[in-house]
Amino acid sequence: PWDQREPKPKWPPYLLESQIPNLVQIFGDIHDQSTWRQVVSHSSGHDWFDLICIDADHGYDGGKKHWEMYAPLVRKGGYVAWHDIGNGWSCGDYYRELCRTHEHWEFIDSPPNAVLGIGVVKC
């Protein structure tokens, strides 16, 4: 919701698909059940995902809801990648709570881009 540009900016498919086999990009309201169903439809009905990367809601409650909705779709030992975990966004606060109980890795640039870091949580 913070990005009002239309159409929403997207990575060029050829760039990502050439680097990441079996990549699926889904654009929609992450809290909406129809978006969740789209994600589930790509799991072949029984396969678990190795990795889900979510770049969406920046709020604490939104980050918590992301985890609750999408982490169960990731296989044990798989990963959920978080966006914008650096100091400044509330979603990073929820991510840091998960870090107390889950193995994790962080990729954070130095200031002024530190707010844009990526965190990866092992399921």
Side-chain angles (χ1 to χ4, degrees):
W2 61 271
D3 188 343
Q4 299 303 318
R5 292 179 285 176
E6 292 296 340
K8 299 287 185 232
K10 298 178 183 178
W11 285 92
Y14 69 87
L15 178 65
L16 291 176
E17 291 165 3
S18 68
Q19 300 299 313
I20 306 171
N22 302 317
L23 172 72
V24 176
Q25 293 184 76
I26 296 174
F27 299 92
D29 181 344
I30 195 156
H31 303 296
D32 192 294
Q33 286 297 313
S34 66
T35 304
W36 183 85
R37 284 192 294 275
Q38 283 184 59
V39 173
V40 170
S41 75
H42 288 284
S43 71
S44 302
H46 63 285
D47 294 335
W48 298 97
F49 290 100
D50 294 320
L51 168 71
I52 290 182
C53 180
I54 301 171
D55 186 1
D57 193 315
H58 288 85
Y60 177 92
D61 292 336
K64 182 177 181 181
K65 187 162 183 135
H66 295 170
W67 179 260
E68 291 169 350
M69 289 178 74
Y70 294 95
L73 303 177
V74 177
R75 69 171 173 78
K76 183 172 176 59
Y79 307 93
V80 174
W82 289 72
H83 68 299
D84 300 337
I85 60 151
N87 294 329
W89 293 107
S90 297
C91 59
D93 295 338
Y94 186 72
Y95 161 81
R96 281 183 285 287
E97 286 183 18
L98 288 173
C99 290
R100 294 183 200 142
T101 56
H102 292 77
E103 192 173 352
H104 62 282
W105 300 264
E106 297 179 353
F107 306 91
I108 302 177
D109 199 356
S110 57
N113 297 321
V115 73
L116 305 176
I118 298 292
V120 180
V121 177
K122 188 172 184 178
C123 294

